[in-house]
Amino acid sequence: MSDGAAIAGPDGVLRCPWALSTEDYVTYHDEEWGRPVHGDDALFERLSLEAFQSGLSWITILRRRPGFRTAFADFRIEKVAAFTDDDRDRLLADPGIIRNRAKIDATLANARVLAGWAAGELDELIWSHAPAPATRPAPESTSDVPAVTPESTALSKALKKRGLRFVGPTTAYALMQACGLVDDHLADCASRNRKTAS
């Protein structure tokens, strides 16, 4: 077995190696990561959480996701777009989230931009950057999984051009992985190609 290849967990199921470090990751890997996500609010949540993750481990964000959802009105774009300065102060004092001023400000600014878009426009823009599955061979090990791709760079540019912030190519690619635009489960992973739209 090559370094970084799929590993069998205590239950005998082969998974991507990163998934086995905590139970939270096992659940996220098996039930969410790489499965198609649609809907403007759902994609706004994922985009926001990926931005908050920048510079941190994903487990930090994953374990605080309930707090994020409470703090940001379940990431309903229209509601977050209407947040006031008092709401911003509340967020900056909320121990249930990552209290990073720049990331909070970007999330609020992004919601205000997205509130002006037509229904389904964010979904359409993001999914228009999904590469054809046939062009992407299944990664054999974690070393075969990129951090940035031409598609994520193009998505980042498209989002920035439309006024969104904290959407660099690496964040865009993490979004693509999390939301099923690409399937980066390893070739031997039990979750490979097992997709259910949410």
Side-chain angles (χ1 to χ4, degrees):
M1 183 179 291
S2 64
D3 184 44
I7 298 174
D11 57 3
V13 175
L14 286 172
R15 292 183 176 89
C16 301
W18 63 264
L20 297 175
S21 59
T22 74
E23 276 300 316
D24 292 323
Y25 269 164
V26 171
T27 301
Y28 177 67
H29 170 274
D30 290 0
E31 298 178 7
E32 290 189 63
W33 194 73
R35 298 194 183 205
V37 173
H38 286 282
D40 292 342
D41 290 343
L43 288 166
F44 171 58
E45 175 184 357
R46 303 315 198 283
L47 186 63
S48 300
L49 293 179
E50 294 295 349
F52 272 101
Q53 186 269 332
S54 179
L56 302 169
S57 66
W58 178 245
I59 195 67
T60 301
I61 304 302
L62 192 59
R63 288 176 173 163
R64 294 186 188 203
R65 186 161 59 170
F68 274 107
R69 286 176 169 168
T70 298
F72 285 96
D74 288 322
F75 290 94
R76 291 190 297 268
I77 293 170
E78 293 290 341
K79 287 189 173 288
V80 178
F83 276 13
T84 64
D85 287 343
D86 286 343
D87 288 306
R88 180 177 178 272
D89 291 341
R90 170 182 57 80
L91 293 168
L92 287 168
D94 189 339
I97 66 170
I98 304 301
R99 292 174 286 183
N100 179 294
R101 186 180 306 273
K103 294 175 182 179
I104 288 171
D105 287 346
T107 303
L108 300 182
N110 288 347
R112 291 175 188 129
V113 169
L114 293 171
W117 292 19
E121 195 169 352
L122 177 61
D123 190 306
E124 182 178 351
L125 175 62
I126 288 174
W127 277 90
S128 72
H129 289 82
T135 66
R136 294 180 51 83
E140 296 292 333
S141 73
T142 54
S143 62
D144 296 328
V145 179
V148 175
T149 64
E151 293 87 1
S152 77
T153 300
L155 174 57
S156 171
K157 288 180 180 176
L159 292 169
K160 287 178 179 178
K161 185 176 180 181
R162 298 292 301 274
L164 298 186
R165 295 157 47 182
F166 261 94
V167 288
T170 303
T171 295
Y173 192 65
L175 174 77
M176 294 171 77
Q177 291 175 303
C179 296
L181 281 76
V182 297
D183 186 353
D184 275 346
H185 287 286
L186 301 185
D188 292 335
C189 176
S191 291
R192 177 82 191 172
N193 295 319
R194 190 179 67 199
K195 296 183 175 184
T196 304
S198 62

